Amino acid sequence: MITTQEFSYKGLGQTFQGVIAYDEAQKGKRPVVMVSHTWVGQSQFEVEKAEALAEQGYLAFAIDVYGQGRRAKDATEAEEIMNEMLADRQELLNRLLLAMEEIKKHELADAAQVAIIGFCFGGKCALDLARSGVNIKGSVCFHGIFDPPGLEQEEDIKARILVLHGWEDPLAFPKDIVALGYELTERNAIWEMDVFGHTGHAFTNPNANAPDQGMMFNPLANDRSWLRMTHFFKEIFAN
C-alpha cells in the first residue's frame, strides 16, 4: 500500500512543505528519489509522480523550493516566483541541498542511494543539483531548461545524468541541447539524452494544451520518457 505524508523541514530561515510517498508493505531502507516541481510550486502533479516512484520501491520526496504555503495561482505569479529563484542560483542550490540532507535523515532512506528528477523548472533544479558536484547517484531532467547556474563549479559531476527532451521545445532549442552535452562532457559526467521528435515543452503534463506556444502533452513521449527513467534508476541503484 502506497502511503503519502506531508514532510516539513526547516532551514535557511524558513519552513518548507514537501510530500513523501513510500510502500508500507516494503521493509527496510530504500533508495531516495527527490521530485523537483514545476514553476507553479510543489503540487499534486509532483505528488502523483512520487506515488508512482513509491510503487517502484523508492522513498519518493516531492520537494518544495519555494517555501511553505508559497504556490503560484496562475502563470503570472508562477513566473514571478520562479524568477526570484533564478535571480540567485546559489540560493536555489542551497534549497535543493537542504531538501536532500533532510530526506536522508528519514528512517526509510538509504542515504547512500539518492537521485533527483524534475520537470520544466524542476528539470533545471535536477541539473543544478548534479552540477554542484554533490555525491548523488543520478539526475533526470524532463523537458527542462539548460542554462548553467553561473557558479564556480569545475569539479567532476558525480551524478549520472539522463535528459529527456522534446526536439521542438521552445524553452531549450537543439543548440541548447548540444551546449549542455559539451558542458557535461567537459566536467566528465556520465550522461545521456533521449530527444523526442515532434515534441515540445511540458510533454508529460496532461493539462498542457498550448500548441501555439510549443507546449503540448505528448502521450508517447510521456510514456517512453518514464520507461527510460525507470530503467535508468534500476541501473544506477544496482551499481
Side-chain angles (χ1 to χ4, degrees), residues 142-196:
F142 290 85
H143 45 81
I145 298 93
F146 302 151
D147 58 298
L151 306 175
E152 293 185 8
Q153 299 168 329
E154 298 179 354
E155 69 273 26
D156 289 353
I157 291 175
K158 301 178 183 67
R160 296 193 180 192
I161 294 177
L162 172 63
V163 175
L164 302 158
H165 202 70
W167 181 253
E168 298 176 3
D169 190 324
L171 301 185
F173 293 107
K175 65 179 179 60
D176 301 311
I177 298 172
V178 174
L180 178 63
Y182 279 119
E183 176 194 347
L184 298 179
T185 299
E186 288 170 1
R187 294 189 59 196
N188 294 315
I190 298 175
W191 63 271
E192 58 190 281
M193 300 187 191
D194 277 13
V195 181
F196 305 103

Side-chain angles (χ1 to χ4, degrees), residues 196-231:
F196 305 103
H198 311 290
T199 303
H201 191 66
F203 61 79
T204 65
N205 187 348
N207 296 319
N209 186 23
D212 56 325
Q213 299 175 33
M215 301 184 187
M216 192 77 178
F217 177 59
N218 184 316
L220 181 60
N222 177 58
D223 292 346
R224 285 181 171 176
S225 61
W226 190 260
L227 182 61
R228 183 67 196 92
M229 176 212 71
T230 299
H231 292 317

Side-chain angles (χ1 to χ4, degrees), residues 6-212:
E6 291 185 348
F7 186 85
S8 295
Y9 53 106
K10 295 182 179 181
L12 305 172
Q14 63 180 301
T15 299
F16 299 88
Q17 184 72 63
V19 176
I20 60 172
Y22 58 92
D23 186 350
E24 280 189 346
Q26 186 176 343
K27 303 300 181 183
K29 296 181 182 294
R30 63 212 67 185
V32 175
V33 180
M34 300 162 58
V35 183
S36 188
H37 55 72
T38 70
W39 69 338
V40 173
Q42 197 276 314
S43 70
Q44 187 60 29
F45 176 82
E46 290 80 24
V47 173
E48 290 174 359
K49 298 301 182 184
E51 291 171 340
L53 286 162
E55 291 176 353
Q56 297 183 15
Y58 304 118
L59 173 61
F61 178 28
I63 69 172
D64 169 22
V65 299
Y66 285 172
Q68 186 176 31
R70 198 163 195 216
R71 307 291 186 264
K73 301 180 182 65
D74 53 35
T76 299
E77 189 174 4
E79 185 172 12
E80 290 175 356
I81 300 174
M82 181 183 69
N83 285 339
E84 285 181 26
M85 294 288 97
L86 298 184
D88 189 345
R89 296 283 282 274
Q90 183 61 57
E91 173 64 17
L92 176 57
L93 175 58
N94 291 343
R95 295 184 182 202
L96 295 166
L97 292 168
L98 173 66
M100 181 189 71
E101 292 302 327
E102 290 302 311
I103 194 60
K104 284 166 65 174
K105 299 174 186 176
H106 194 279
E107 62 182 1
L108 295 179
D110 181 346
Q113 298 266 69
V114 178
I116 184 171
I117 71 172
F119 301 82
C120 308
F121 165 72
K124 182 197 292 281
C125 292
L127 288 174
D128 273 13
L129 186 61
R131 283 164 162 147
S132 75
V134 70
N135 190 20
I136 60 174
K137 291 291 185 179
S139 172
V140 183
C141 172
F142 290 85
H143 45 81
I145 298 93
F146 302 151
D147 58 298
L151 306 175
E152 293 185 8
Q153 299 168 329
E154 298 179 354
E155 69 273 26
D156 289 353
I157 291 175
K158 301 178 183 67
R160 296 193 180 192
I161 294 177
L162 172 63
V163 175
L164 302 158
H165 202 70
W167 181 253
E168 298 176 3
D169 190 324
L171 301 185
F173 293 107
K175 65 179 179 60
D176 301 311
I177 298 172
V178 174
L180 178 63
Y182 279 119
E183 176 194 347
L184 298 179
T185 299
E186 288 170 1
R187 294 189 59 196
N188 294 315
I190 298 175
W191 63 271
E192 58 190 281
M193 300 187 191
D194 277 13
V195 181
F196 305 103
H198 311 290
T199 303
H201 191 66
F203 61 79
T204 65
N205 187 348
N207 296 319
N209 186 23
D212 56 325

